């Protein structure tokens, strides 16, 4: 019996362990998807190298770290295929042909790339591999015939680029070899850092990693940005932009209770200590089983690597089939 | 016993059968090199696709045509390794990492690329795979640890780019993994087309393919550009820019006889018919055994493909070793 579930491709660059933002923005969704979908989870070490040449240890070590995060949140390797990008050479091969189907000008106009070039301060010193990574990403997606790609809002242009490549390739061979995909943007927006900055990241030191200790969770909540004008408990406080409430909205399932806290906070008479206590309890409860599972797996890295080895073999099989179809369509099947 | 001969990497894009210009500019040299050097001969179908997406049949069919040319001129598959680029996926993988070691600005400044972009009229519609092919070429060269790369004068910047990538990679891993190479420019300059145009090419219709029939050779010499002001036999004629003499210089081993003809032509009293007859005889004698061998091989394409299959397997083995070293140095050796 063939597997008729829709195919999802998603994954993470292996530049650091995952944090609460990843959890709410994508990991929860992946755990839910793995029953209804055939899910490929990419540990994107090769993509991480596009702007990390030289930081080899960081990229390598975080393959295990991100895999631990996946397993800790409940990604089931029997249901999802977790694999290491650099061990699927079919992806580089596909990407090398896709590079011929996209112009330099088109890559330079890609809004995601433009933003990230600015963000990284590359200016004119853009590594060619960074400018061209949309072609590599198109390879990652199409190799598995993924039709569903969960991405942040800012990544939508990347998916459009992939579909352009798909249409061009199919037109060039006069056959429907590759399939187009759909970007699925999760309803939950981006979680701010606990200092109130829009972007949560390990390097900014405002992110809570999934393996955080109880003490680290306590410290993070303690430092959390609230309403700087809410000086005395009896003063009315602001809920909008108050990170504690943003996090409660994201992580506290008892929404009625959160709405009640908001009303009381707005009215005045509710101290930051109280709402922080509430949030901390919630985060401790959420992260405790994740941390425990993470530590269990971390004690046996060989077992985790065996999972990745198995997933990578399955991923290669799928990618090799697509590559074979692509090369056959181009007439590159000589023997 | 290990093979200590210096390693040469050379080859051709598979966009058309080879012609006299290739013969004198590179093939003669390759036949000479195959004893003293370990020679890898690349049938560059993947590179041909960088500006031929859609022209799949042309690129595919010319793999066999170029291989026939190689064998016809005396490339010995027992001495040289002839292989098909698209069947060595290690090359795409290496290139994908090299792309991270070269900036977009650097590629755009590459004089060879600038010239070829102008030549092809790409303007802003440069396929990304075309702009980035120096990284792919660096992969072709370094995969085989080639130290000698015979190229035309115009390709020297490509070799410099390869060596830059080699140095950057080695510096990034702190080990001497990749080896630098040297461009070797043949003493023979570029042969003009028989219409006198500087560039000989199949598409301009001014090139004599190596498999040309006796009649085609006759016609080509008949049409050949001489001295447009040399109207009567008794007039003095010009030797410079006279394609017949350029060809005699290139193909007639009896240089004393050629010098004598030049003197008589300059003095006046020597007709174009005489020098053309001389050249035609020379070219007929040169191409007759090549054509015969080419036809012999062409009668058994399966044998030729078996040669390419064997060569490709040997090339993969060499390239896989380098790729393994490269990935190990970057820490991408997980299992």
């Amino acid at each position: 019996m063939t597997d008729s579930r829709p195919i999802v491709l998603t994954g993470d660059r292996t530049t650091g362990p995952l944090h609460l933002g990843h959890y709410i923005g994508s990991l929860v969704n992946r755990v839910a998807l793995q029953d209804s979908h055939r899910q490929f989870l990419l540990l994107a070490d090769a993509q991480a190298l596009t702007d990390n040449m030289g930081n080899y240890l960081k990229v390598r070590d975080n393959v295990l770290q991100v895999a631990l995060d996946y397993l800790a949140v409940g990604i089931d390797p029997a249901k999802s295929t977790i694999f290491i990008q650099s061990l699927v050479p079919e992806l580089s091969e596909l990407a090398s042909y896709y590079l011929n189907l996209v112009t330099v000008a088109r890559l330079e106009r890609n809004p995601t790339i433009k933003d990230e070039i600015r963000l990284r301060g590359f200016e004119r010193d853009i590594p060619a591999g960074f400018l061209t990574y949309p072609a590599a990403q198109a390879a990652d997606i199409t190799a598995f015939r993924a039709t569903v790609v969960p991405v942040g809002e800012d990544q939508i242009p990347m998916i459009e680029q992939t579909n352009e490549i798909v249409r061009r390739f199919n037109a060039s061979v006069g056959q429907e070899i590759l399939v187009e995909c759909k970007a699925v943007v999760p309803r939950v927006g981006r979680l701010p850092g606990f200092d109130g900055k829009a972007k949560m990241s390990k390097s900014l030191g405002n992110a809570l990693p999934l393996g955080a200790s109880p003490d680290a969770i306590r410290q993070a909540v303690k430092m959390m940005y609230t309403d700087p004008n809410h000086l005395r408990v009896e003063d009315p406080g602001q809920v909008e932009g108050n990170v504690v409430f943003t996090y409660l909205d994201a992580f506290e399932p008892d929404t009625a209770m959160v709405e009640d806290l908001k009303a009381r906070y707005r009215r005045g008479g509710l101290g930051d200590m109280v709402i922080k206590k509430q949030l901390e309890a919630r985060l401790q409860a959420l992260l405790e089983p994740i941390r425990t599972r993470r530590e269990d797996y971390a004690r046996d890295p060989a077992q985790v690597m065996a999972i990745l080895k198995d997933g990578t073999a399955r991923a290669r099989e799928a990618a090799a089939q697509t590559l074979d179809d692509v090369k056959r369509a181009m007439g590159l099947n000589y023997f």
Side-chain angles (χ1 to χ4, degrees), chain A:
Chain A
M1 209 181 77
T2 55
D3 189 340
S4 63
R5 293 175 300 169
I7 299 170
V8 183
L9 182 282
T10 170
D12 295 279
R13 290 160 52 102
T14 61
T15 48
L18 304 184
H19 52 59
L20 272 184
H22 296 111
Y23 179 79
I24 203 74
S26 60
L27 297 175
V28 170
N29 192 38
R30 293 179 194 171
V31 174
L33 279 176
Q34 66 185 344
D35 289 307
S36 54
H37 289 64
R38 197 170 153 212
Q39 184 164 245
F40 288 92
L41 282 173
L42 173 72
L43 295 166
D45 59 344
Q47 193 193 311
L49 287 174
T50 58
D51 58 334
N52 277 289
M53 284 301 268
N55 289 333
Y56 299 123
L57 269 183
K58 176 174 99 170
V59 170
R60 179 205 167 94
D61 288 350
N62 281 302
V63 164
L64 178 63
Q65 294 306 315
V66 175
L68 287 173
D69 290 327
Y70 286 174
L71 297 167
V73 299
I75 299 287
D76 178 351
K79 296 176 179 172
S80 295
T81 302
I82 311 174
F83 68 100
I84 303 177
Q85 188 181 33
S86 70
L87 298 182
V88 184
E90 289 78 9
L91 300 176
S92 318
E93 226 182 320
L94 277 176
S96 76
Y97 296 113
Y98 294 172
L99 277 177
N100 304 332
L101 294 168
V102 53
T103 66
V104 177
R106 177 69 182 82
L107 289 170
E108 286 172 344
R109 277 200 313 271
N110 184 314
T112 314
I113 292 288
K114 275 166 84 171
D115 281 354
E116 301 204 359
I117 285 170
R118 204 170 34 237
L119 200 71
R120 285 170 171 77
F122 278 146
E123 309 288 335
R124 292 306 293 159
D125 289 337
I126 312 159
F130 194 83
L131 180 71
T132 58
Y133 94 71
Q137 202 164 66
D140 296 338
I141 294 169
T142 57
F144 303 102
R145 304 183 192 280
T147 54
V148 180
V149 186
V151 289
E153 192 104 39
D154 54 336
Q155 295 283 316
I156 292 178
M158 302 295 279
I159 303 302
E160 285 166 6
Q161 184 114 62
T162 291
N163 286 336
E164 262 178 50
I165 289 173
V166 166
R167 289 190 292 270
R168 281 213 185 140
F169 180 79
N170 288 346
S172 84
V173 296
Q175 292 175 68
E176 297 294 307
I177 301 288
L178 300 174
V179 291
E180 292 192 47
C181 62
K182 231 180 89 182
V184 177
V185 179
R187 273 164 304 124
V188 185
R190 179 177 269 178
L191 201 66
F194 48 75
D195 57 359
K197 288 216 179 89
K199 199 174 155 61
M200 173 184 272
S201 92
K202 191 173 160 262
S203 55
L204 294 174
N206 63 1
L208 206 51
L210 295 177
S213 68
D215 209 52
I217 298 169
R218 194 170 309 123
Q219 286 302 319
V221 176
K222 206 168 153 187
M223 287 171 55
M224 204 168 265
Y225 181 87
T226 55
D227 172 1
N229 300 315
H230 184 240
L231 301 176
R232 290 172 309 178
V233 173
E234 56 269 34
D235 288 344
Q238 201 173 327
V239 163
E240 289 69 32
N242 186 318
V243 178
V244 176
F245 281 110
T246 309
Y247 276 49
L248 281 171
D249 280 337
F251 296 104
E252 177 54 65
D254 186 347
T255 53
M257 185 261 278
V258 175
E259 288 312 310
D260 181 54
L261 286 177
K262 283 182 184 171
R264 286 167 59 198
Y265 194 80
R266 282 196 180 102
R267 213 181 304 137
L270 185 63
D272 283 0
M273 285 291 282
V274 178
I275 57 171
K276 285 190 169 181
K277 198 156 209 149
Q278 187 64 42
L279 176 63
E280 196 211 314
R282 185 66 213 116
L283 293 182
Q284 295 286 9
L286 174 76
L287 292 178
E288 194 273 331
I290 293 176
R291 179 176 57 247
T292 306
R293 268 198 304 268
R294 205 179 187 285
E295 285 167 354
D296 285 347
Y297 278 110
R299 263 188 292 277
D300 190 0
Q303 182 203 352
V304 179
M305 293 317 277
I307 289 171
L308 300 188
K309 192 172 183 178
D310 174 63
T312 301
R314 282 188 280 150
R316 275 202 77 169
E317 206 177 305
Q321 181 59 58
T322 303
L323 177 64
D324 195 59
D325 292 348
V326 162
K327 289 179 82 171
R328 187 177 303 274
M330 294 194 291
L332 304 181
N333 54 333
Y334 298 96
F335 307 129

